[in-house]
Amino acid sequence: MATEKKKNLTVITTHINADFDGIASMLAAQKLYPGALVVFPGSYERNLRNFFVDSMAYLFNMADINDIDFSDIRRLVLVDTRKADRIGKLSPLLSLPEIDIHIYDHHPHSPSDIKAHADFYNRTGATTTILTQFIREKQIALTSDEATIMCLGIYEDTGSFTFPSTTEHDLMSAAFLLSSGANLNVIADIISKEINPQQVKVLNDMLLSANRFKINGVDVTVTSISSETYIHDFALIVHKMMKVENLNVLFAIARMSNKIYVVARSRVPEVDAGGIVTSLGGGGHGFAAAATIRDRTLAQVEQQLMEKLYRTIKPSQLAGEIMSSPVITIGPDVSCHDAGTRMTRYNVNALLVTEKQKEKDVLLGFISRQVIEKALFHDLKHVPVKEYMSTELAVVSPEADIHEIQEKIIHNKQRILPVMEQDVIKGVITRTNLLNILVDQAQLNHEKQTNGFQAPVTARTRNVRRLMKERLSKKLMGILKEIGETAAEIGFSAYVVGGFVRDLFLYRKNEDVDIVIEGDGILFAKKYAKISGARVNAYQKFGTAVIIFPDGFKIDVASARTEYYQSPAALPTVEMSSIKMDLFRRDFTINTLAIQLSPSSFGVLIDFFSAQRDIKEKVIRILHNLSFVEDPTRGFRAIRFEQRFGFSIGKLTSSLIKNAVNMDFFKKLSGRRIFMEIRLILEEENPAPAIIRLSDYNLLQFIHSSVTLNKKTIELLHTAHKVITWYDLLFLEESYNKWAIYFLVLIRHCDAKTSLEICRNFELPPRFLKMISMERFEAEKCLYGLERKLPIKNSTIYKRLTVFKTELILYMMVITKQKQVEKAISNYFTKLKHVRIAMKGQDLFSLGIPRGPIFGKILDAVRDQRMNGKAKTKKDELEFAKQYAEILLKTPDSRKSESKKNHQ
């Protein structure tokens, strides 16, 4: 019986240089063919060797190929390959008629394929997926380790479900394996491996030798390198190069010892990587392929590859072929209402705005249905479209290929792309046109539906965990991980968003942490606070909370929400939403970045609105054209961010700020909201440039119509910056409001009545109202007196200045015209303010001086002597006090005062 069983062997194998999908497929096949032997036809990738030696080899019924008698084999099961030259020493079995051949593979068929008795093919992202479907149907039980290996195979071959070859079957199979106990931590540790220093050198050589070709409108990169030894994980290095260089098509050729290896990757339908590499003797599918070539030189393979590329890559569709013509346009003075009517009449979502100049239509911009609808909602139907049209728009020539069209529509967030030749509008391509073409090509299936945000349909993502580790403290990293874990426990998703993420990329310190929860933010905050020993302040109306730690550190928490404005400049009405809609409600693209905190995706950056691009290009851009209508305060913030980061305000954003000023939307803001924005600007490190920009946009009028900027005021603002910087470097540890100094400079020409009007409009607290509308004039009067009585004694300076607040004294230092007065004020802060006399009241009593008001007069006089340098020791003070007391006691007023006190 044993001999008979031995003569009915089933052998399972995969291709030489097996990857995780090949190994996982062999394990899956072993579950479908109980008792079968698993045989490696040759070597496998280094990571696989380490993985199996260290952990999972016990799962396989493995046999050495040299120990098997081929005459005992009756069935050969091939997984992840159908090529005879890729199964090594087992290939002679293919010619034996008694061998029953079964193939499980996701690679497309070709004429050179092995002929099988049973061929199980499906165009999935991984072969493991096909076998998993059979296991699921047969209800075969899996252990946790088996499920982990099989899931690992799917993750690797689909690029963690990011490769275009990924299908819904891959996701469903992975879900089944996860439910069977697959360990994602093990998978993540293996999949996310970093390349070693030797591989970094190989990657650098590949980058240096890369050549870029444009073949029939398609960008193709080809790189060639040589190595005397085998390069482990060459496919991984190729994948890294694709990501680093953001390539669509890459063919990597490497001579390793006496063999040539080719690895191909393609993200575009025009380039069939599998078909091209098959002609070289390899195989694969349209998006990924590989070949091992013998008996040819590197130059021969390069030449053969280039010939094949030029023969097989078909020209992509050109703009002139797919554009719509004639073009429907409107003039710049057409009202928003009439523009909306025209869009409805022609069933279009965007219109070009043109103007007749010298018998020629000149392109000015475009207007979208979303902008028109918002304008009508805000009762702006009579406003001309030129006020809200997008003026920053890309155009293409009729010869532009589909990739250029796609890049410009998506990168620039344009609903309509003009096709122009010699400044003449030939036609337009809409986003719908583009999507239809992409769908027809089975490309970018996730973009089949447009969204209403004028933004890329899917988010750009990348893992920034390493950047977070470099930039953030261990304590903060720990808090963020705990937040993600706590949210996941109650079924929510957590994100850190906004300025915190923006400043991470700008390398600016920012520990103002804003957390957005997809779910109930207040419920999350209470649960996390309980776990971390913090307390919570919740605001039910807005779905927000503040978590306050015992050491005073605070974290703001909000439920993901969207906002709509019932009228221009009104406060927003808040509704629950998703993270994408929450980010869309924000002011500028640079503030729309979010980082996932959930344990399974911790550190993954989400960029829906091209924020990374705008940060790189240093541009401030709004998210939609009615942004300043809904919230005019964004105009102030645009200027503040522009100056803080050294950015520039985008052309369209700039014109929309001016529009909001001209349409008087800022006048609908409360004085308190305007003051809050002005104060934030004045609290910047150097607000002078921002104040100049406020003047450029005519925004200073919203402080008061009389507030303007001239050359002298600009000089004083710069002087104020120098004075404040000087004062801060004294490290006196006395709190003061530096914004008030700049504000006093701005309104220094306003009289008391106007100043009071400004303070009341801004709803300033009483202490600031008093400082700005009353005490300021006393300070200016004092300064005038000091400037007329030069030189000034130290004691005089002290007496005059000590009655004023720090802000007013620094203001005096800014506006004085006399260097001597500036030095005197400086001396007050550095020396006089801190002068203390050595003697006390008891010393006067010891001198025989009677107690009473005379004590105060004498001590004041002694302090004056000390300040003026006439009393340097306590002995000097006592001698002066005795003499001064005698003088005071001789005066009639002093005697009367003392007599009256003694009588009482």
Side-chain angles (χ1 to χ4, degrees):
M1 289 290 291
T3 305
E4 185 181 339
K5 185 177 181 181
K6 193 173 183 183
K7 285 186 176 294
N8 283 288
L9 281 179
T10 295
V11 171
I12 301 169
T13 193
T14 186
H15 52 82
I16 296 170
N17 294 325
D19 54 10
F20 281 124
D21 187 33
I23 300 300
S25 296
M26 288 198 294
L27 177 61
Q30 181 181 283
K31 301 296 289 185
L32 294 172
Y33 297 87
L37 296 179
V38 173
V39 176
F40 279 95
S43 64
Y44 41 85
E45 290 289 344
R46 188 177 187 179
N47 273 334
L48 290 167
R49 184 184 304 118
N50 296 340
F51 176 67
F52 282 102
V53 169
D54 292 345
S55 56
M56 302 290 192
Y58 75 94
L59 295 173
F60 294 81
N61 186 21
M62 205 173 296
D64 190 311
I65 194 170
N66 298 314
D67 296 335
I68 299 175
D69 185 344
F70 281 18
S71 64
D72 293 337
I73 300 174
R74 291 294 177 266
R75 183 188 292 140
L76 179 63
V77 180
L78 302 177
V79 294
D80 204 34
T81 186
R82 57 179 75 248
K83 301 294 180 186
D85 60 353
R86 299 208 70 199
I87 61 172
K89 294 179 181 180
L90 291 171
S91 58
L93 293 172
L94 302 175
S95 60
L96 302 177
E98 66 271 19
I99 300 295
D100 186 21
I101 300 173
H102 293 191
I103 295 177
Y104 297 82
D105 193 18
H106 71 133
H107 297 103
H109 290 281
S110 69
S112 61
D113 288 349
I114 298 168
K115 304 304 178 188
H117 299 90
D119 193 333
F120 304 96
Y121 164 76
N122 196 357
R123 197 180 181 98
T124 56
T127 297
T128 308
T129 297
I130 300 169
L131 290 145
T132 301
Q133 289 172 322
F134 284 109
I135 290 172
R136 187 177 183 182
E137 289 170 8
K138 294 177 182 292
Q139 298 183 344
I140 298 173
L142 298 173
T143 67
S144 175
D145 287 345
E146 289 170 338
T148 299
I149 291 181
M150 291 166 63
C151 201
L152 177 59
I154 297 174
Y155 264 80
E156 186 210 36
D157 241 33
T158 62
S160 299
F161 309 109
T162 62
F163 291 167
S165 55
T166 306
T167 68
E168 68 272 21
H169 301 296
D170 300 298
L171 293 163
M172 291 169 65
S173 292
F176 166 71
L177 294 170
L178 191 59
S179 70
S180 299
N183 189 327
L184 289 178
N185 290 326
V186 172
I187 294 169
D189 288 342
I190 297 171
I191 291 293
S192 61
K193 60 185 179 293
E194 296 296 327
I195 59 177
N196 61 41
Q198 184 61 35
Q199 291 168 332
V200 171
K201 181 180 182 301
V202 172
L203 176 59
N204 188 52
D205 291 342
M206 290 167 63
L207 292 169
L208 291 174
S209 66
N211 290 302
R212 290 167 173 79
F213 306 92
K214 201 169 192 72
I215 303 175
N216 289 328
V218 179
D219 290 316
V220 178
T221 301
V222 178
T223 183
S224 302
I225 59 169
S226 291
S227 173
E228 297 305 319
T229 57
Y230 180 73
I231 301 171
H232 294 286
D233 291 327
F234 185 54
L236 170 65
I237 303 171
V238 173
H239 179 65
K240 291 283 185 184
M241 181 170 172
M242 286 280 286
K243 290 181 69 175
V244 168
E245 295 293 287
N246 192 25
L247 302 175
N248 281 327
V249 181
L250 173 61
F251 287 85
I253 310 170
R255 182 187 65 80
M256 304 181 202
S257 186
N258 60 346
K259 297 179 185 176
I260 307 295
Y261 294 83
V262 179
V263 174
R265 295 290 184 267
S266 172
R267 293 175 178 164
V268 296
E270 291 87 358
V271 181
D272 179 1
I276 293 169
V277 173
T278 297
S279 70
L280 301 175
H285 47 73
F287 302 101
T292 302
I293 304 168
R294 300 172 181 82
D295 304 323
R296 268 176 281 177
T297 65
L298 191 65
Q300 286 174 316
V301 173
E302 285 177 344
Q303 183 178 352
Q304 188 178 352
L305 173 64
M306 293 307 299
E307 289 174 355
K308 188 67 177 177
L309 289 172
Y310 277 100
R311 280 200 310 269
T312 59
I313 296 178
K314 304 289 188 229
S316 59
Q317 290 179 284
L318 303 180
E321 299 169 3
I322 61 178
M323 69 184 186
S324 300
S325 183
V327 182
I328 304 168
T329 64
I330 55 170
D333 296 315
V334 172
S335 70
C336 288
H337 175 270
D338 291 346
T341 301
R342 179 166 290 198
M343 286 180 181
T344 302
R345 182 187 306 153
Y346 292 106
N347 193 28
V348 294
N349 291 317
L351 291 170
L352 295 186
V353 182
T354 62
E355 187 174 55
K356 209 79 169 175
Q357 294 180 11
K358 297 181 180 179
E359 303 302 317
K360 182 175 162 184
D361 285 329
V362 176
L363 180 62
L364 303 180
F366 77 92
I367 191 88
S368 70
R369 184 182 292 277
Q370 280 72 21
V371 172
I372 291 296
E373 287 176 350
K374 284 200 172 192
L376 298 180
F377 178 78
H378 289 295
D379 198 24
L380 303 173
K381 60 184 178 182
H382 298 303
V383 177
V385 294
K386 67 183 178 184
E387 299 295 346
Y388 297 118
M389 68 182 180
S390 295
T391 55
E392 294 178 328
L393 74 166
V395 301
V396 292
S397 70
E399 289 74 37
D401 61 40
I402 193 69
H403 302 294
E404 182 181 350
I405 294 166
Q406 180 181 336
E407 171 68 16
K408 289 191 174 178
I409 286 180
I410 294 177
H411 184 78
N412 295 288
K413 298 181 279 190
Q414 281 184 217
R415 282 194 167 275
I416 189 168
L417 182 67
V419 181
M420 301 190 69
E421 188 172 38
Q422 296 180 347
D423 295 329
V424 176
I425 304 170
K426 294 292 185 180
V428 293
I429 300 169
T430 66
R431 199 157 71 186
T432 303
N433 296 148
L434 173 64
L435 290 173
N436 287 335
I437 293 165
L438 295 177
V439 169
D440 289 342
Q441 296 175 343
Q443 170 78 355
L444 299 177
N445 290 327
H446 58 280
E447 292 190 34
K448 285 182 182 178
Q449 294 182 345
T450 61
N451 65 60
F453 294 154
Q454 294 193 43
V457 178
T458 56
R460 294 173 175 84
T461 61
R462 66 186 178 103
N463 198 307
V464 294
R465 192 168 185 167
R466 175 177 286 183
L467 177 64
M468 293 170 72
K469 284 183 178 179
E470 291 174 357
R471 300 281 299 128
L472 305 180
S473 65
K474 287 184 179 179
K475 176 186 173 184
L476 187 51
M477 277 291 284
I479 289 173
L480 294 177
K481 286 180 181 178
E482 288 171 0
I483 286 171
E485 291 164 0
T486 304
E489 286 173 10
I490 52 178
F492 298 160
S493 295
Y495 306 83
V496 60
V497 302
F500 177 86
V501 185
R502 175 201 67 213
D503 288 351
L504 197 65
F505 286 89
L506 291 173
Y507 288 83
R508 297 173 66 95
K509 186 175 181 180
N510 184 347
E511 293 198 349
D512 293 332
V513 180
D514 290 316
I515 300 295
V516 168
I517 300 294
E518 278 188 328
D520 189 331
I522 294 177
L523 176 65
F524 159 79
K526 289 178 178 177
K527 181 175 176 63
Y528 179 72
K530 187 176 181 180
I531 293 171
S532 59
R535 57 190 176 89
V536 175
N537 291 337
Y539 306 93
Q540 202 70 44
K541 180 181 177 182
F542 295 101
T544 62
V546 179
I547 299 173
I548 306 167
F549 291 81
D551 62 359
F553 181 67
K554 297 178 182 178
I555 289 178
D556 292 316
V557 177
S559 306
R561 64 193 196 270
T562 186
E563 297 174 350
Y564 67 91
Y565 294 75
Q566 292 182 337
S567 62
L571 287 170
T573 301
V574 179
E575 294 179 344
M576 296 295 287
S577 176
S578 68
I579 184 64
K580 182 175 180 180
M581 294 182 74
D582 181 272
L583 296 173
F584 182 69
R585 73 179 176 80
R586 295 173 186 272
D587 47 14
F588 308 109
T589 57
I590 63 169
N591 293 329
T592 61
L593 291 172
I595 295 176
Q596 296 183 32
L597 301 181
S598 301
S600 61
S601 52
F602 183 85
V604 174
L605 177 76
I606 300 174
D607 181 5
F608 283 107
F609 306 107
S610 301
Q612 294 173 89
R613 178 200 68 183
D614 289 344
I615 289 173
K616 183 178 180 181
E617 295 178 0
K618 297 186 174 183
V619 179
I620 305 293
R621 288 192 175 99
I622 39 87
L623 276 81
H624 60 85
N625 292 23
L626 290 169
S627 183
F628 298 117
V629 174
E630 293 181 343
D631 185 1
T633 61
R634 291 169 176 166
F636 293 104
R637 292 203 291 280
I639 290 169
R640 174 156 55 92
F641 290 143
E642 176 193 48
Q643 297 304 314
R644 178 193 293 178
F645 303 132
F647 284 17
S648 61
I649 296 175
K651 182 180 175 184
L652 173 61
T653 303
S654 179
S655 68
L656 291 173
I657 294 174
K658 293 172 182 176
N659 166 268
V661 173
N662 295 334
M663 298 289 290
D664 288 335
F665 290 130
F666 286 88
K667 290 182 179 178
K668 297 178 182 180
L669 292 168
S670 69
R672 176 176 290 188
R673 290 187 70 193
I674 292 175
F675 172 69
M676 285 174 62
E677 296 298 332
I678 295 288
R679 177 170 177 166
L680 287 171
I681 288 174
L682 299 183
E683 285 176 343
E684 290 289 309
E685 183 182 353
N686 180 15
I691 295 169
I692 294 170
R693 291 290 276 161
L694 289 175
S695 177
D696 292 341
Y697 285 101
N698 201 20
L699 288 170
L700 291 178
Q701 63 171 304
F702 301 110
I703 298 176
H704 191 271
S705 57
S706 64
V707 176
T708 56
L709 207 59
N710 55 35
K711 186 178 179 181
K712 179 61 180 175
T713 304
I714 293 172
E715 289 176 2
L716 289 177
L717 288 170
H718 288 299
T719 302
H721 175 60
K722 292 176 183 176
V723 167
I724 289 169
T725 302
W726 166 82
Y727 181 78
D728 287 342
L729 289 174
L730 296 179
F731 299 105
L732 298 178
E733 297 183 358
E734 294 179 7
S735 63
Y736 74 106
N737 296 280
K738 77 171 188 176
W739 66 265
I741 301 160
Y742 291 108
F743 193 74
L744 290 168
V745 169
L746 277 175
I747 67 165
R748 69 190 184 93
H749 290 305
C750 297
D751 58 24
K753 181 181 177 182
T754 303
S755 300
L756 183 60
E757 182 185 337
I758 291 170
C759 292
R760 286 176 174 168
N761 180 50
F762 282 174
E763 301 178 49
L764 296 187
R767 62 193 184 98
F768 292 128
L769 184 148
K770 186 177 180 183
M771 180 202 300
I772 292 167
S773 64
M774 289 183 271
E775 294 172 348
R776 167 169 69 95
F777 298 101
E778 295 172 14
E780 290 173 351
K781 184 178 178 182
C782 172
L783 178 64
Y784 179 70
L786 291 173
E787 289 177 336
R788 292 188 64 192
K789 295 181 179 179
L790 296 173
I792 315 166
K793 289 183 179 180
N794 288 343
S795 56
T796 302
I797 282 288
Y798 179 85
K799 288 175 182 177
R800 297 285 180 88
L801 297 185
T802 195
V803 298
F804 293 111
K805 295 180 177 70
T806 299
E807 294 90 344
L808 289 168
I809 301 172
L810 291 172
Y811 169 65
M812 293 161 67
M813 193 173 182
V814 170
I815 65 173
T816 182
K817 300 172 184 176
Q818 302 290 341
K819 277 286 181 186
Q820 281 182 273
V821 174
E822 185 182 334
K823 288 180 180 178
I825 296 174
S826 170
N827 190 43
Y828 167 78
F829 280 119
T830 56
K831 296 178 182 177
L832 304 183
K833 192 176 182 181
H834 311 288
V835 167
R836 300 288 182 270
I837 60 176
M839 63 178 292
K840 308 293 180 186
Q842 185 61 38
D843 294 317
L844 294 178
F845 187 74
S846 300
L847 292 174
I849 301 171
R851 296 183 186 276
I854 194 172
F855 267 36
K857 292 181 180 180
I858 294 171
L859 291 174
D860 284 347
V862 170
R863 186 184 56 219
D864 290 348
Q865 291 294 103
R866 171 73 78 166
M867 286 183 179
N868 293 329
K870 295 181 179 179
K872 298 179 180 179
T873 65
K874 185 175 181 179
K875 182 181 178 182
D876 295 340
E877 292 176 0
L878 290 170
E879 287 180 1
F880 171 78
K882 188 175 181 181
Q883 295 170 6
Y884 189 63
E886 290 174 359
I887 296 171
L888 287 177
L889 291 171
K890 285 179 183 178
T891 61
D893 289 343
S894 294
R895 284 198 302 272
K896 259 184 212 177
S897 174
E898 293 306 314
S899 172
K900 184 177 180 183
K901 188 174 184 305
N902 291 335
H903 180 70
Q904 291 173 342

